Amino acid sequence: MTVRLVEGLRYTVTPDGTALSLDLYLPVRPHPVPVAVYLHGGGWLTGSRTDHRDRLTGLAQHGVAVASADYRLAHQAPFPAQLDDARAAVRWLRREGPAHRLDIHRIGVWGASAGAHLAAHLALTPGSSTSTVRTMVGYFGTYDLTSAAAHLRPAPGLPLPDEIRNAVWPAGVPSPPSPRLRQALLAGVPESALTDDHLAPISPITHVHPNSPPMLLLHGTQDAVSTHGQSLRLAEAVRAAGGSAKTVLIEGANHEDPAFDRHTTLATVAQFFITCLCV
């Protein structure tokens, strides 16, 4: 299927004056199509809407448009700035989507790593009817940052993917920053002061409720950054609350593994979006 790329659409200017843009990956079809807001990874400190373009194009080739959105990073503004930005992207789609042949009644959210964490927040705490999404897909996210999930650590000795090892971190941030430092920056407190009181509100799992939208959580079993137990834990919490959540574990896959961009994987993601958004 042919995909048309429309780049650099400004979707909001934040209260601190930051202009944020998104890119649209549009299946060329004669009728409006469902759309997924995509939130990139990067440990809340790096990354861009232009990351993994093959992944985004691949989903669009299956008939689901993608709106890949930049958001403020944690060193620029602490949480909930990132969630506010994601909500603004959804509101923009509701206003401007018809001009791009998008079905504004069929909006989901998709994220990878830190973006999956934010996608889960958006799904669970939309903020208003105009920023509501109907379903969520997460790639290798961390959904519980509190000490309750401290036992969910990657197995020792797993190799860090090149994308993580070669990341360029913001000036003034140690390279690479520890998970705890990244969490402290996201929470907006000094690392030495970080407690569960700060981590619980920024953990999507604490916001699960009976009306949680359907979720599909994909994770590799050899993830060196965020163990697949995180996805299993969130799915269990959603189901326990009365919602619907499925997990797909990719045997032997690491964080940001090429397996997540395979045709078969993206076909699974597309089918989930289409099924849930067409109900």
Side-chain angles (χ1 to χ4, degrees):
M1 183 183 301
T2 303
V3 174
R4 183 166 63 93
L5 174 60
V6 182
E7 300 181 77
L9 298 169
R10 181 176 297 184
Y11 73 85
T12 193
V13 176
T14 67
D16 60 12
T18 302
L20 296 172
S21 298
L22 57 77
D23 297 338
L24 292 178
Y25 296 75
L26 301 169
V28 178
R29 286 202 167 175
H31 52 78
V33 295
V35 56
V37 176
Y38 181 78
L39 303 173
H40 65 79
W44 309 292
L45 290 174
T46 186
S48 163
R49 71 179 190 274
T50 63
D51 294 348
H52 294 283
R53 282 188 159 171
D54 288 347
R55 173 182 301 167
L56 310 181
T57 301
L59 187 70
Q61 288 172 335
H62 287 282
V64 179
V66 179
S68 182
D70 279 330
Y71 53 85
R72 283 171 289 175
L73 301 174
H75 66 287
Q76 298 170 317
F79 192 86
Q82 299 74 25
L83 177 57
D84 292 340
D85 298 343
R87 289 168 174 166
V90 176
R91 292 194 296 269
W92 184 92
L93 286 172
R94 295 205 184 278
R95 292 193 310 270
E96 306 296 334
H100 298 280
R101 303 194 67 79
L102 299 176
D103 187 339
I104 61 173
H105 303 293
R106 295 193 288 164
I107 300 177
V109 64
W110 181 27
S113 195
H117 165 270
L118 299 174
H121 268 294
L122 179 62
L124 295 168
T125 58
S128 70
S129 60
T130 57
S131 55
T132 299
V133 296
R134 293 181 54 188
T135 189
M136 175 262 180
V137 174
Y139 273 13
F140 39 84
T142 299
Y143 306 109
D144 188 352
L145 308 182
T146 71
S147 59
H151 63 289
L152 299 176
R153 295 192 181 96
L158 293 174
L160 282 178
D162 289 344
E163 182 168 334
I164 307 297
R165 289 192 297 106
N166 299 331
V168 178
W169 302 99
V173 175
S175 181
S178 68
R180 186 168 178 82
L181 175 58
R182 290 188 283 107
Q183 292 169 6
L185 290 168
L186 185 66
V189 299
E191 184 178 0
S192 60
L194 186 66
T195 69
D196 275 354
D197 288 339
H198 305 110
L199 293 172
I202 64 175
S203 295
I205 198 169
T206 65
H207 301 286
V208 166
H209 54 83
N211 296 317
S212 301
M215 295 184 178
L216 175 66
L217 307 175
L218 298 92
H219 224 119
T221 61
Q222 297 295 307
D223 194 308
V225 178
S226 173
T227 176
H228 63 279
Q230 284 280 347
S231 287
L232 295 174
R233 183 176 176 82
L234 178 60
E236 181 181 8
V238 170
R239 291 192 294 265
S244 171
K246 301 178 182 178
T247 54
V248 173
L249 300 184
I250 301 180
E251 189 65 34
N254 202 337
H255 206 77
E256 282 294 6
D257 197 281
F260 291 94
D261 297 336
R262 289 177 185 156
H263 177 86
T264 52
T265 306
L266 293 171
T268 297
V269 172
Q271 187 57 53
F272 182 81
F273 274 129
I274 291 169
T275 300
C276 293
L277 293 175
C278 288
V279 173

